[in-house]
């Protein structure tokens, strides 16, 4: 860490400069990403990465839904208040936390369970060192690789945030009823291009969606068609059967990628071209001329998709992160160290 070096070299001067001066000098250094590094815990918690790999592979083998669940959880965390583990905080009687916003209702328990297990194992080895935000970032990357996706570098040193409010979720996350224009302006407002948006949404090559997210495409779609005619008819028929009782059985869900549901590959884009895109937002990426060229590109070339996805995920992983005193290392991931009442 460059900062640590500067600090000690200043202090080791025979006539140490006043501390105030040092503090001022340090305050001119860039505050955010410059402090992140892949080697951040190499000295303070050398077992961090091996412990993560162990916990992650055990969890993913026992609960194969973990990879998709964690990827979605991480993306939601980063889009609301930045990648600061704000999504992991539990609500209490004073505060309805981010994870309990309407849109979070379907955040799956397996991913929370994974982070809890990892945090406990790491605290035993090196208490108070590794942030929950870094645990979530590494877990996501390792799980993507485990299910066949691309590797990317995750630099470390994120701090955990002090704010988690359900009321701050709205407007930061895309919903299944958005138009392409709405999705584009949302992603652009966060610094992502149309191409990056299409690449990131390739995350729907794994995981599930609940029937209510696409039921409007299945029943009473229009005066002339019972289901959305842009669906492949056999696919629509199967989904109509699967979701027939979705209003009473709200847990009913379909694979996002019906062809290779648990493999991270470029099948998502091939599906869109065949009427096998599950959500209307998925299919819309193929209908719209602003996004279709990237769908075509990634459908034709998995290497191009993997490169673009890896690059965009590196960017997501440092979105509005907090370092230094702008955050803390939580003792447990579901509550702030100083429990706040608001
Ligand atoms: C472009 C706009 C997007 C929309 C409208 C959208 C919407 C959705 C919806 C409605 C679900 C189903 C949730 C449920 O029923 O439980 C879902 C699942 C999922 N989304 Fe997205 N999403 C978008 C982009 C992304 C991005 C950028 C990522 C990650 C980089 C992502 C990762 C996932 C994953 C992995 C799942 C499966 C979760 C699981 O199986 O537990 N999505 N998405
Ligand atoms: C479709 O619409 C008709 C008439 O508007 C209604 O009677 C029927 O219950 C609807 N079906 C579903 C599955 O919502
Ligand atoms: C696929 O994409 C990669 C990475 O962008 C590129 O190097 C390669 O030439 C492409 N392959 C084809 C067949 O276009
Ligand atoms: C995983 C998770 O925390 N889901 C929560 C989403 O919100 C509902 C309703 O507030 C909670 O009951 C769930 O626990």
């Amino acid at each position: 860490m460059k900062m640590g070096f500067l600090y000690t070299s200043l202090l080791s001067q025979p006539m140490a400069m006043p501390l105030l001066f040092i503090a001022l000098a340090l305050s001119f250094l860039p505050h955010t990403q410059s402090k992140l590094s892949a080697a951040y815990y190499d000295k303070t918690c050398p077992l961090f990465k091996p412990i993560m790999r162990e916990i992650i592979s055990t969890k993913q083998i026992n609960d194969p839904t973990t990879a998709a669940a964690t990827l979605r959880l991480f993306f939601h965390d980063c889009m609301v208040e930045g990648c600061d583990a704000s999504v992991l905080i539990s609500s209490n009687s004073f505060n309805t936390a981010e994870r309990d916003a309407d849109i979070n209702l379907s955040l799956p328990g397996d991913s929370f369970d994974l982070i809890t297990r990892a945090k406990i194992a790491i605290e035993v080895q090196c208490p108070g060192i590794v942030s929950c935000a870094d645990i979530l970032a590494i877990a996501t990357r390792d799980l993507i690789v485990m299910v066949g996706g691309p590797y990317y570098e995750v630099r470390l040193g994120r701090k955990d945030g002090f704010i988690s409010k359900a009321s701050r979720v709205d407007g930061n996350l895309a919903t299944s009823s958005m138009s392409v224009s709405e999705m584009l302006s949302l992603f652009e407002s966060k610094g992502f291009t149309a191409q990056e948006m299409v690449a990131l949404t390739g995350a729907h090559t794994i995981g599930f969606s609940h029937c209510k997210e696409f039921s409007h495409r299945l029943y009473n779609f229009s005066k002339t068609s019972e289901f959305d005619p842009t669906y492949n008819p056999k696919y629509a028929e199967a989904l109509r059967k699967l979701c027939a009782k979705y209003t009473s059985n709200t847990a009913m869900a379909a694979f996002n990628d019906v062809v290779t549901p648990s493999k991270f590959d470029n099948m998502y884009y091939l599906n869109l071209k065949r009427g096998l895109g599950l959500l209307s937002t998925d299919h819309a990426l193929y209908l719209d001329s602003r996004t279709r060229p990237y769908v075509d590109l990634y459908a034709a070339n998995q290497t191009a998709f993997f490169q673009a996805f890896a690059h965009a995920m590196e960017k997501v992983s440092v979105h509005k992160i907090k370092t230094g005193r702008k955050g803390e290392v939580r003792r447990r991931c579901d509550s702030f160290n100083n429990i706040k009442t608001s």
Side-chain angles (χ1 to χ4, degrees):
M1 270 209 322
K2 282 193 194 92
M3 286 245 319
F5 175 72
L6 172 65
Y7 193 79
T8 43
S9 67
L10 282 173
L11 283 178
S12 64
Q13 298 286 321
M15 301 234 299
M17 281 178 241
L19 277 172
L20 176 65
F21 177 81
I22 293 169
L24 276 175
L26 291 174
S27 72
F28 287 108
L29 291 171
H31 267 294
T32 48
Q33 293 167 27
S34 62
K35 285 204 238 163
L36 293 187
S37 104
Y40 193 82
Y41 298 115
D42 282 6
K43 293 224 169 62
T44 52
C45 193
L47 289 178
F48 170 45
K49 286 174 190 173
I51 291 173
M52 287 302 291
R53 276 194 290 275
E54 165 69 25
I55 300 261
I56 283 162
S57 57
T58 306
K59 177 72 183 167
Q60 175 65 20
I61 288 164
N62 290 325
D63 301 298
T65 57
T66 305
T70 308
L71 173 52
R72 181 157 183 261
L73 183 71
F74 180 61
F75 183 68
H76 282 212
D77 185 39
C78 294
M79 291 303 106
V80 185
E81 314 283 356
C83 310
D84 68 349
S86 51
V87 75
L88 300 177
I89 293 290
S90 291
S91 294
N92 57 36
S93 45
F94 305 104
N95 181 39
T96 305
E98 199 173 304
R99 66 191 263 182
D100 289 324
D102 275 352
I103 199 164
N104 273 2
L105 283 178
S106 56
L107 286 175
D110 276 333
S111 50
F112 292 95
D113 177 62
L114 171 72
I115 303 303
T116 307
R117 282 165 193 260
K119 178 66 170 173
I120 288 168
I122 290 160
E123 286 300 291
V124 169
Q125 288 298 326
C126 13
I129 301 290
V130 183
S131 69
C132 300
D134 279 343
I135 291 175
L136 183 53
I138 286 281
T140 302
R141 194 274 313 279
D142 286 358
L143 284 163
I144 289 170
V145 172
M146 205 176 155
V147 294
Y151 179 90
Y152 53 90
E153 199 65 60
V154 174
R155 288 173 299 142
L156 300 164
R158 292 164 193 72
K159 291 286 171 67
D160 300 326
F162 295 124
I163 295 171
S164 174
K165 288 186 178 300
S167 58
R168 300 226 191 164
V169 173
D170 220 23
N172 285 307
L173 293 169
T175 64
S176 56
S177 59
M178 280 187 175
S179 67
V180 172
S181 295
E182 287 170 323
M183 288 193 281
L184 282 173
S185 63
L186 179 63
F187 277 76
E188 272 158 21
S189 75
K190 300 195 174 283
F192 293 93
T193 64
Q195 181 159 10
E196 287 169 334
M197 180 180 94
V198 175
L200 286 171
T201 309
H204 290 178
T205 177
I206 53 173
F208 297 93
S209 294
H210 290 87
C211 291
K212 76 167 166 55
E213 302 291 354
F214 52 89
S215 56
H216 65 282
R217 301 182 73 192
L218 297 177
Y219 310 108
N220 278 353
F221 182 73
S222 70
K223 284 205 179 84
T224 51
S225 177
E226 191 52 31
F227 58 84
D228 184 341
T230 60
Y231 268 138
N232 171 307
K234 286 200 177 120
Y235 184 48
E237 204 42 56
L239 290 174
R240 279 164 55 83
K241 284 206 184 96
L242 177 80
C243 294
K245 299 202 171 90
Y246 81 96
T247 47
S248 52
N249 185 355
T250 52
M252 259 328 182
F255 289 128
N256 286 325
D257 169 358
V258 66
V259 182
T260 53
S262 40
K263 189 167 186 296
F264 198 104
D265 55 15
N266 69 335
M267 191 60 74
Y268 170 76
Y269 303 102
L270 289 156
N271 288 343
L272 298 184
K273 297 166 69 108
R274 301 171 186 143
L276 301 177
L278 183 61
L279 305 174
S280 63
T281 46
D282 294 326
H283 189 69
L285 298 179
Y286 184 60
L287 291 181
D288 195 290
S289 63
R290 293 167 292 180
T291 46
R292 183 176 188 153
Y294 310 120
V295 172
D296 287 333
L297 172 64
Y298 300 144
N301 188 337
Q302 177 163 285
T303 309
F305 166 49
F306 275 18
Q307 280 180 6
F309 184 80
H311 190 79
M313 281 302 291
E314 270 191 67
K315 203 167 150 181
V316 166
S317 302
V318 295
H319 187 69
K320 288 183 156 182
I321 52 139
K322 296 162 179 90
T323 56
R325 268 167 292 173
K326 299 206 171 116
E328 64 182 356
V329 173
R330 277 183 216 146
R331 283 188 289 272
R332 37 183 301 166
C333 293
D334 61 358
S335 63
F336 305 114
N337 289 345
N338 293 310
I339 310 277
K340 292 192 178 164
T341 51
S342 61

